[in-house]
Amino acid sequence: MTTRTATARYSGFGKEGKGAITTQSGVLTDQFYGFNTRFEDEPGTNPEELIAAAHAGCFTMALSFALAKAGFSEGTLETKAAVKLEQKDGGFTITRSDLTLEASVPGIDPDEFAELADDAKKNCPVSKLMNAEVSLAHKLN
């Protein structure tokens, strides 16, 4: 259906290396990232922040469409995603993505809302990605 792309470039290696991320849409263009933006408080981005943004956006949109399909046409949804990176087995692992939702949907039954929200959590494409197959094609110059 659609394919979206992003590129990451890294110059130098390890803690001294510096990276830049660019997205197909141009919303990120040579956005700085590196050790200090990932593990310290230096301005810039990092992969976990980008995954959190993608998960919050995907889940919120999925729930919005589910609510529209159920006949609701007004309200607001605001979701925060907290993606956790932990050191495990000698490396790092993203161990969880915790979604926190604040919503206002006039006239909805709380049980119906909980069911729609749970379905959106399970079935938004980014939630499904958390257990997806990952492929890699590479070329060494």
Side-chain angles (χ1 to χ4, degrees):
M1 195 166 138
T2 61
T3 300
R4 302 290 183 215
T5 63
T7 58
R9 182 180 13 66
Y10 217 77
S11 299
F13 300 119
K15 288 182 181 181
E16 289 73 35
K18 303 294 180 201
I21 295 174
T22 299
T23 58
Q24 174 185 352
S25 68
V27 71
L28 297 178
T29 302
D30 291 329
Q31 177 61 55
F32 173 70
Y33 82 108
F35 179 85
N36 294 338
T37 65
R38 195 170 194 182
F39 299 105
E40 297 173 359
D41 291 327
E42 187 170 327
T45 193
N46 59 70
E48 293 73 34
E49 175 182 74
L50 297 172
I51 291 168
H55 201 193
C58 185
F59 162 76
T60 305
M61 183 180 280
L63 180 53
S64 171
F65 275 75
L67 288 163
K69 186 176 179 183
F72 297 93
S73 60
E74 61 182 84
T76 59
L77 306 171
E78 184 172 334
T79 307
K80 176 182 178 182
V83 170
K84 188 168 189 171
L85 179 69
E86 293 186 281
Q87 198 162 12
K88 284 187 146 192
D89 303 323
F92 290 91
T93 301
I94 293 174
T95 57
R96 54 187 307 122
S97 179
D98 296 310
L99 300 171
T100 304
L101 170 64
E102 287 191 34
S104 172
V105 183
I108 195 166
D109 176 76
D111 290 337
E112 180 182 11
F113 180 78
E115 185 178 318
L116 292 171
D118 188 58
D119 187 65
K121 177 196 68 137
K122 290 176 188 170
N123 292 305
C124 86
V126 175
S127 288
K128 290 178 180 180
L129 175 67
M130 300 298 182
N131 291 310
E133 176 183 340
V134 176
S135 69
L136 171 65
H138 60 84
K139 176 182 172 184
L140 181 61
N141 292 325

